[in-house]
Every structure is written in structure tokens, then in C-alpha cells.
Amino acid sequence: MTIGLEHYLILSGLLFSIGLYGAITKRNAIVILMSIELMLNGVNIALVAFSRFITPAALTGQIFAIFVIVVAAAEVAIGLAIIISIYRNRDTIDVNKINLMKW
Amino acid sequence: MGQIIAFWILAVITIIAASGVIVQKNVFRSALSLIVCLVAVAGIFVLLSADFLAAAQILIYVGAISVVIILAIMLTREFTKGSPSNRLQLPALIVSVIFFGLLTFAVINTNWQLSATPPQTPTTPALAEEIFGHYGYVLPLEIAGVLILAVIIGAVVIARDK
């Protein structure tokens, strides 16, 4: 048995689903950010696997993965700045208690 | 043969570490688990002959993002309360499992047009050619630079002590 495209895609789907579960259920905002990182990594695996098995000459999938990494780094930096700011103002980062704009 | 063994080892490490991020009660331990998962994903990139991406994954995710996450955990001191779940545990589990099932179904039943050409082995020159070439990705690259600049300024402004 050789390792084909399907193996990588199923691994990426599993990683994405674990991240999805964590992003929905967790109450700590930092754990939610970590779950989103897991989801982005699953997407990266899928992009690189497509680039490796379907268009090995073009490398477009790897370029997309590079841009995903850039945007993920930006998202983490700004997300953690917002979390620290919220913690400073409200003394909690429990997303169930941050419901000021909820009606 | 070695590639098959390496894939299964890396895949199992990735999935166990990713579950660890969700299951661990201690937020600090789930951050360490996330780092293990990111390193294993870098190994998967090596298996897919994406050497530049594997190096970028180690440098950016393991080197920078995980440090920032651990710094935020230290700064917020929320880890004393652990990492509790909300009331949506069962619906979220059902949704995730259904999503994974649909994804697997779609992947298995699609007829992929596989290419037989071997992958390029040092990808860095080819990637540079793609990005900076004539019909390349120079404009998205510049936009990414502007995004990073905006993020640096925004993070400083948001997190600054008033």
C-alpha cells in the first residue's frame, strides 16, 4: 500500500474537524485561537498535498500555503493583543462572560 | 517503504497532539501539545517534498507563534481556571463528526486527476520564480507586507497600557 493523495486529505480533514470541535466548545479565548491554528494547519496540509500530487510542476498550492501562514501569523498577533486588552479591562477571557454586545 | 512508516508515525503524532490541545485541562499543556502538532505537520510537509514550507513552518509557527501564545497565557493568568467546555459539547461533537464523514466521503468518491511527474526537489528557487516571476504573485506579496505592517501597528496600539 502506498501513501496517496487520499491519505493526506483525510489527515487534513481530521485535523480540521478536531480544530472545529475545539473552536466551538472551548470557553478560554486562547484555546479557541489555538484551535483555529489547528484548522489552518489542516488546510495547509490539503493545499500542499494537492500541489504535490495534482500539479507538481506549478507549485501554486505551496504559494497559497505560504500566504495562509502569513495571514495566520497576523491573526494570532492581533487576536492575542485583543485578548490581553480584554483581560486588562474585564479580568477574564472566558468567552461566555464576554457578552457585552449580545442581546 | 520508509515513506509509509514515516507518514503513519507523523499522522498519529499529529492527531494525538491535536486531540491533546482539546482534551488537556491545563492551558499551558495544550499550548505545548500544539507545538508538538505543528512540528509533526512540518514533518508531513517534508514528506510532501515541500522543503521551504517545512522550514517556514518551523520558523514561523514553532519559533514565533507558539512563543506569542505562551506569552499570552502567562500574561492573562487564566490558566488557573483550566480549559473548561461550554454546553455545546454534544452538538459540536455531532457536527464535527458529520463534517469529517462528509469530507471523507467526498475525498474517497472523487476521481482525482493525479499527475505522474515527480516533484521538484529543491522547491525554494522554483517558489521564488513563481512568486517574483513575470506573471507571479508580486501584488499579493506587497499586500501581505502592508497587512503585516498594519498588524504590527495595530497590535502595539491595542495591547498598549493606557
Side-chain angles (χ1 to χ4, degrees):
Chain A
M1 188 178 82
T2 54
I3 301 297
L5 176 61
E6 286 86 357
H7 292 82
Y8 288 103
L9 289 184
I10 289 173
L11 172 68
S12 115
L14 197 52
L15 206 54
F16 191 91
S17 305
I18 293 173
L20 180 69
Y21 174 79
I24 297 175
T25 53
K26 287 301 172 183
R27 279 166 54 186
N28 188 324
I30 294 177
V31 182
I32 293 178
L33 264 182
M34 293 200 278
S35 304
I36 293 172
E37 289 305 309
L38 285 181
M39 291 165 81
L40 288 168
N41 267 282
V43 173
N44 275 348
I45 291 178
L47 284 172
V48 179
F50 281 131
S51 152
R52 160 77 177 77
F53 284 102
I54 294 186
T55 57
L59 290 179
T60 321
Q62 295 198 22
I63 291 172
F64 272 50
I66 290 172
F67 282 110
V68 169
I69 290 178
V70 169
V71 176
E75 169 244 327
V76 164
I78 217 74
L80 291 176
I82 291 173
I83 288 172
I84 290 172
S85 178
I86 289 175
Y87 183 78
R88 205 174 274 146
N89 284 318
R90 300 181 65 95
D91 240 21
T92 179
I93 51 168
D94 187 336
V95 291
N96 278 15
K97 291 181 190 143
I98 308 169
N99 51 6
L100 197 66
M101 292 174 76
K102 189 178 170 189
W103 57 282
Chain B
M1 188 62 206
Q3 221 168 9
I4 299 175
I5 299 171
F7 173 80
W8 285 112
I9 292 174
L10 285 172
V12 168
I13 291 175
T14 308
I15 297 305
I16 290 177
S19 318
V21 176
I22 308 300
V23 174
Q24 295 278 4
K25 291 273 172 284
N26 189 327
V27 182
F28 193 77
R29 279 186 191 166
S30 55
L32 295 181
S33 198
L34 178 75
I35 296 172
V36 173
C37 180
L38 296 175
V39 173
V41 171
I44 297 259
F45 286 164
V46 172
L47 275 186
L48 286 165
S49 59
D51 46 4
F52 178 78
L53 258 182
Q57 171 94 2
I58 297 283
L59 279 177
I60 298 175
Y61 271 108
V62 183
I65 291 184
S66 52
V67 171
V68 176
I69 286 178
I70 289 176
L71 194 74
I73 292 174
M74 299 296 186
L75 276 179
T76 52
R77 292 191 294 275
E78 189 82 355
F79 58 86
T80 48
K81 291 179 201 157
S83 162
S85 299
N86 58 17
R87 282 169 292 133
L88 287 175
Q89 248 172 326
L90 190 62
L93 188 65
I94 293 170
V95 166
S96 309
V97 169
I98 289 176
F99 181 77
F100 177 63
L102 282 176
L103 221 52
T104 310
F105 179 78
V107 164
I108 287 174
N109 285 293
T110 308
N111 187 20
W112 301 105
Q113 303 287 317
L114 293 184
S115 161
T117 22
Q120 320 183 6
T121 30
T123 55
T124 317
L127 274 176
E129 195 72 38
E130 273 297 291
I131 291 180
F132 299 106
H134 192 249
Y135 292 102
Y137 294 82
V138 177
L139 181 65
L141 193 82
E142 297 295 331
I143 295 173
V146 173
L147 175 76
I148 295 289
L149 179 67
V151 163
I152 293 171
I153 297 171
V156 169
V157 169
I158 291 172
R160 190 181 47 178
D161 227 344
K162 299 221 168 53

